[in-house]
Amino acid sequence: MNKGIIIGIVVAVVVVGAAAFLALPQAPQAPQARTIQLEAREFSFKGLGFDKVACDPGTSCGPKIQVKAGETVRVVLKNIGGADHEFMVAEESVLKEKAMHDPVFKEAMSEETKPGQTSTITFVAEKAGKYVYGCFLDVATKPDRHADRGMWGEFTVEA
């Protein structure tokens, strides 16, 4: 067989194969997670341009976080303080109540993060609303929680 014909057939097969591959339905791309980096210390969160070390009693000592409903959120919490800290998104009522609470969204709570360690959590902000995030531990502050000393912030999920 002529060498030119063989090359032509190979080129045709490659072109047809490539066209067929490109015509295959593509799997939907998973949405990119928004990464929020926070540092925890006594008794505030640092990040997103917020860097107050202490706040007045009853006021937030953490940055405002805004995400969209359905958005995947990744929180990277680095503990630069001297006590264990956590990150949890909860209903606003958690600030007034001393009872145990579950996170608003599944997986929206870190493990207790020891001093010098970093925790990462990923969750989907499923429903629009106004919530809070904070450290609700009472390590070294019992009966107060760290959030009672200002270690919390607003967490808004926009529709």
Side-chain angles (χ1 to χ4, degrees), residues 1-14:
M1 202 180 232
N2 185 337
K3 193 175 188 180
I5 295 174
I6 293 174
I7 291 174
I9 292 172
V10 169
V11 168
V13 168
V14 168

Side-chain angles (χ1 to χ4, degrees), residues 32-82:
Q32 191 75 345
R34 176 185 295 193
T35 299
I36 298 168
Q37 296 187 348
L38 296 174
E39 291 181 344
R41 59 186 173 208
E42 290 76 40
F43 292 98
S44 64
F45 288 99
K46 176 183 176 184
L48 302 174
F50 185 92
D51 192 17
K52 278 189 171 179
V53 175
C55 298
D56 294 329
T59 62
S60 165
C61 214
K64 292 180 181 180
I65 298 174
Q66 292 183 323
V67 300
K68 300 241 185 251
E71 186 171 15
T72 300
V73 179
R74 178 184 301 116
V75 177
V76 179
L77 179 69
K78 180 178 182 182
N79 186 347
I80 62 170

Side-chain angles (χ1 to χ4, degrees), residues 17-30:
F21 177 77
L22 292 174
L24 289 173
Q26 299 294 317
Q29 292 285 346

Side-chain angles (χ1 to χ4, degrees), residues 90-144:
E91 298 287 346
E92 287 183 287
S93 62
V94 73
L95 295 174
K96 295 181 180 86
E97 302 168 2
K98 299 282 186 176
M100 294 295 292
H101 292 272
D102 291 324
V104 172
F105 310 112
K106 185 179 178 185
E107 307 297 329
M109 180 176 174
S110 72
E111 298 290 326
E112 290 183 22
T113 306
K114 304 230 175 274
Q117 291 186 336
T118 299
S119 294
T120 301
I121 61 169
T122 303
F123 62 94
V124 176
E126 298 158 343
K127 57 187 175 190
K130 197 169 188 181
Y131 309 102
V132 295
Y133 69 90
C135 178
F136 300 101
L137 299 176
D138 60 5
V139 177
T141 56
K142 207 171 206 164
D144 287 344

